[in-house]
Amino acid sequence: MQNTLSVRFFTVAVLIVFLYAAPAFAQIKGKPTAAEAAKFIEAAEARLAALSLKANQASWINSNFITYDTENLNAAVSDEFTAAITEFAVKSHRFDGLKLPYDVRRKINLLQNGIVIPAPKDDAERTELTKTAVSMESDYGRGKYCPPDEDGKCYSLGDFEKILAESRDPKELKKAWLGWHTVSPPYRTRYARFVELANKGAKELGYKDTGELWRSGYDMKPDEFSAEMERLWLQVKPLYDSLYVYTRAKLVKKYGASVVPPNGPIPAHLLGNMWSQEWTNIYPLLAPPSSSSGYDLTKILQDRKTDAKQMVHYGENFFVSLGMQKLPETFFERSLLTKPADRDVVCHASAWDLDAQQDVRIKMCIEINAIDFTTIHHELGHNYYQLAYASKPYLYQDSANDGFHEAIGDTIALSVTPEYLKQLQFIDKSPSAGADIALLMERALAKVSFLPFGYLVDKWRWDVFSGKTKPADYNKAWWDLRLQYQGIAPPEARSESDFDAGAKYHVASNTPYARYFLATILQYQFHRALCRQAGFTGPLHRCSIYGNKEVGANLQKMLAMGKSRPWPEALKALTGEDKMDATAIIDYYAPLKKWLDEQNRGLPPR
Ligand code: X8Z
Ligand code: ZN
């Protein structure tokens, strides 16, 4: 998973940090010097690099074989790493206020604000925190529900997701939704304890709480970051609202006003996704009447008998067409590409960088469909970022900010256009401009629908960490935000014996989520810039940078910077802009927005 001074995989972030600290530094007294600071950082990087390899291996095995033993081994190694990074972070305060060379100061800052799960100094508390974190992710990974009326038949998340995607029977959809949401209540109390312990660790590091620590990783003050998120959300909200109003009206038509209130929230189980976070699967209910995108990528992939490995090769081929390296042999030897039949694994897709060199992998239960085709590009974006910054020092082996890491593969996937599919000989000819609304609609259902969810997950956690939301109100606060931002409601009344936030992977695994919101904004900025560099002048949704080595080199240059400079510099290097800016996504969907607003005339607003 992703980096961030926790384990290096992109999605799980169970690693805490540790502060093993070179023992020599523990004794240091007297006035700190710049030379001592440089040595301190050098020792910290060496120690953390060694520990993170071990931690990554333990975490990889745990996620690939969820058992009592792998969980315990993972927790033990994670504990060691956490102890070390925490100690380094605490000790680095010795150099506060000292004038230091740029890189030493930057690395000290990164050490201090890059910890995802900050652990208290107390050994017992740290171990409890690590165990709690590891156990919640494992419980999520092995989560199943066996409906009492089905004779012992059990459903995994994948089984439930399939029902959510394909069924149009509200009763069956509701049953699947409720079934999956039985998985998280058992760790609700553990989650509250986890929050307590992580907050203690954050305070010891000098932060108000863990949420403030998370918001500190953006080369700006934590409050400025919250304001940036809100500013970007307000930029895109009208676009979401247009899509929402249209979608609700179509769902009223399909299911009737007794199931979908024409003027109220959309029931969460009807949007084709367990978290209502992306609505691609209900495209057939929403497709514009007169035009069609002219092809069905899922059907094409299945008709061609594409297997999981070939799906990955398509993604790899795109990056190679930009001038990047082929994936190392070990990628294919060591990745997990399909769901094993006979054991529990964490199926949530993730990309890993085991040794900070060439040992990159993905872990994904690939299904042969268009959504997973895109997700593969997403995951490989992480791996190509990791390969690009592999030669940087340990503390710079990360993206400019975490939104960048999430945005790279998605940027590439925006180049999966009809023209590109024609080049792959998936289709004979590119559909005419008459298909544009359909093409934009399909993409908007994946991206525009996601925006409020991308924002609210961490809004919920920020309030939980700050204490504004108490454990007794976890579920109420969650649904208040779901209603306020997404405009959705649960399929039936929920209570505080539920833990619906915990039914989302990133909450169970403590992976920060604001990154996905940022990525959704950034990928359009990147795409717009790369298309301009390619000299493309048509509508942005028709632009593909496939095969353009010159543009690929520009991208590679930014990736290779890793985290060595503040993110606005990395953004500027690629796009010429130094602010995150939603005008690119707004421009991209402008024709769709106009069309939606015409369709929405006379409909109840949001
Ligand atoms: O978790 C992911 C990736 C792995 S970093 C598959 N995503 C978020 C999610 O699934 O909730 C990608 C989109 C948002
Ligand atoms: Zn990702």
Side-chain angles (χ1 to χ4, degrees), residues 10-11 349 378-379 382 405-406 516:
F10 260 85
T11 289
H378 175 95
E379 298 306 334
H382 289 310
H405 230 304
E406 299 302 336
Y516 300 106

Side-chain angles (χ1 to χ4, degrees), residues 36 38 40 84 103 166 193 235 244 248 255 257 271 293 309 391 399 412 417 435 443 461 502 516 530 546 605:
E36 181 200 333
F40 169 83
D103 285 317
E166 290 171 7
R193 177 65 179 152
Q235 262 188 298
Y244 176 91
R248 180 172 58 188
Y255 293 110
L271 288 158
S293 64
K309 199 168 166 189
S391 61
S399 50
I412 300 306
T417 57
R443 206 147 254 171
R461 276 192 293 206
Y516 300 106
L530 294 169
Y546 180 64

Side-chain angles (χ1 to χ4, degrees), residues 233-253:
W233 164 244
L234 292 177
Q235 262 188 298
V236 295
K237 183 175 182 297
L239 177 58
Y240 177 75
D241 287 348
S242 296
L243 183 66
Y244 176 91
V245 166
Y246 174 83
T247 302
R248 180 172 58 188
K250 289 285 180 193
L251 291 174
V252 172
K253 230 186 187 162

Side-chain angles (χ1 to χ4, degrees), residues 244-510:
Y244 176 91
V245 166
Y246 174 83
T247 302
R248 180 172 58 188
K250 289 285 180 193
L251 291 174
V252 172
K253 230 186 187 162
K254 169 77 187 169
Y255 293 110
S258 62
V259 178
V260 183
N263 214 346
I266 300 177
H269 56 303
L270 303 180
L271 288 158
N273 173 277
M274 188 57 79
W275 307 275
S276 321
Q277 70 180 68
E278 72 126 327
W279 308 344
T280 313
N281 288 316
I282 58 162
Y283 176 76
L285 302 181
L286 308 176
S290 57
S291 58
S292 120
S293 64
Y295 61 88
D296 173 351
L297 182 55
T298 296
K299 189 168 178 315
I300 294 169
L301 291 165
Q302 290 173 355
D303 287 351
R304 297 168 69 98
K305 308 252 178 300
T306 313
D307 65 14
K309 199 168 166 189
Q310 277 168 300
M311 294 267 282
V312 176
H313 278 305
Y314 283 122
E316 177 191 31
N317 174 55
F318 201 120
F319 287 90
V320 171
S321 88
L322 298 176
M324 297 177 194
Q325 68 175 86
K326 286 184 97 170
L327 289 166
E329 272 303 305
T330 51
F331 173 95
F332 290 99
E333 288 160 18
R334 297 172 192 169
S335 288
L336 178 89
L337 302 183
T338 50
K339 184 173 160 63
D342 54 355
R343 62 176 205 258
D344 289 324
V345 304
V346 177
C347 264
H348 190 89
S350 55
W352 298 59
D353 171 13
L354 278 275
D355 65 352
Q357 295 300 320
Q358 292 281 310
D359 190 357
V360 295
R361 312 174 191 178
I362 65 172
K363 182 176 58 57
M364 183 173 170
C365 302
I366 296 176
E367 299 280 335
I368 310 304
N369 60 42
I371 290 184
D372 279 9
F373 192 77
T374 305
T375 303
I376 286 168
H377 290 74
H378 175 95
E379 298 306 334
L380 294 186
H382 289 310
N383 287 147
Y384 276 99
Y385 216 144
Q386 291 157 345
L387 290 168
Y389 57 56
S391 61
K392 284 269 177 288
Y394 178 84
L395 287 163
Y396 288 163
Q397 285 175 355
D398 201 351
S399 50
N401 72 38
D402 54 5
F404 282 57
H405 230 304
E406 299 302 336
I408 298 308
D410 285 12
T411 302
I412 300 306
L414 288 178
S415 276
V416 176
T417 57
E419 207 45 54
Y420 167 64
L421 295 176
K422 204 178 113 194
Q423 276 174 275
L424 290 188
Q425 299 183 332
F426 276 23
I427 53 177
D428 297 335
K429 65 179 192 22
S430 190
S432 66
D436 278 359
I437 295 299
L439 286 166
L440 284 169
M441 172 75 84
E442 234 179 316
R443 206 147 254 171
L445 291 180
K447 305 288 183 172
V448 176
S449 61
F450 177 75
L451 290 159
F453 187 73
Y455 188 26
L456 75 82
V457 173
D458 276 356
K459 259 195 154 335
W460 181 81
R461 276 192 293 206
W462 294 344
D463 286 348
V464 164
F465 283 130
S466 76
K468 187 177 160 213
T469 297
K470 306 266 178 301
D473 298 318
Y474 277 176
N475 228 44
K476 180 184 179 314
W478 176 250
W479 283 106
D480 285 351
L481 290 167
R482 299 267 268 168
L483 178 63
Q484 184 188 345
Y485 288 97
Q486 286 180 286
I488 66 167
E492 63 179 35
R494 307 296 282 167
S495 78
E496 293 303 333
S497 58
D498 301 307
F499 183 34
D500 293 328
K504 176 67 195 164
Y505 172 74
H506 302 69
V507 174
S509 71
N510 297 296

